[in-house]
């Protein structure tokens, strides 16, 4: 079992920045991948970014971003703190959503919502124009 707890959401003006954090507990080892998804009101949950978790993963160092956030968002991890981050810069009103942290035990960087095995409770990000 993996427990995930997100934090760092809030209200920010367009052009501003936020950093989301996701602390993992439980089975925090292995070759799995950590991802961020988001869900806006009335829309499907969509992939944002993903990163491999440990150097035991043959895909270690891999990251992947949705086209809509590429160049603005950066995913990173601190294995010593069991934490993954999402730095969000140049925020736009269309980035407004609940952001979820997720863990995929497969080890490959994948973008499908159904590929991920564990989910956090989400943190709200609101970008005003």
């Amino acid at each position: 079992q993996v427990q995930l707890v997100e934090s760092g959401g809030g209200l920010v003006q367009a052009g501003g920045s936020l950093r989301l954090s996701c602390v993992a507990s439980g089975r925090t080892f292995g070759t799995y991948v950590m991802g961020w998804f988001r869900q806006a009101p009335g829309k499907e949950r969509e992939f944002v970014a993903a990163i491999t978790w440990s150097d035991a993963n043959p895909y270690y160092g891999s990251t992947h971003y949705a086209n809509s956030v590429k160049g603005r968002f950066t995913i990173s991890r601190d294995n010593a703190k069991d934490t993954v981050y999402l730095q969000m810069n140049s925020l736009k009103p269309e980035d407004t959503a609940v952001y979820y942290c997720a863990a995929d035990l497969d080890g490959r960087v994948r973008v499908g919502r159904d590929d991920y095995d564990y989910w956090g409770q989400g943190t709200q990000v609101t970008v005003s124009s």
Side-chain angles (χ1 to χ4, degrees):
Q1 290 287 331
V2 177
Q3 293 79 44
L4 305 171
V5 179
E6 304 98 331
S7 62
L11 174 64
V12 64
Q13 289 188 334
S17 299
L18 281 175
R19 188 177 80 158
L20 305 183
S21 300
C22 173
V23 179
S25 61
R27 182 184 166 184
T28 56
F29 56 85
T31 61
Y32 54 79
V33 169
M34 298 298 295
W36 286 96
F37 286 73
R38 66 186 182 186
Q39 188 167 16
K43 294 189 176 181
E44 295 289 319
R45 191 171 299 188
E46 64 175 7
F47 172 80
V48 175
I51 189 169
T52 52
W53 183 248
S54 81
D55 57 9
N57 189 321
Y59 304 98
Y60 179 66
S62 297
T63 58
H64 188 71
Y65 297 91
N67 287 335
S68 59
V69 306
K70 202 172 292 184
R72 300 187 298 124
F73 290 11
T74 302
I75 189 170
S76 63
R77 69 193 180 284
D78 185 334
N79 294 68
K81 296 182 179 180
D82 290 332
T83 301
V84 61
Y85 303 98
L86 185 68
Q87 177 67 43
M88 305 186 295
N89 298 329
S90 302
L91 282 161
K92 304 174 182 180
E94 51 264 44
D95 294 317
T96 295
V98 177
Y99 282 71
Y100 296 90
C101 176
D104 177 1
L105 302 183
D106 178 84
R108 296 170 294 167
V109 174
R110 301 189 291 180
V111 303
R113 179 184 58 192
D114 293 338
D115 294 328
Y116 287 73
D117 303 285
Y118 298 99
W119 293 85
Q121 82 290 348
T123 185
Q124 176 70 48
V125 171
T126 303
V127 184
S128 63
S129 57

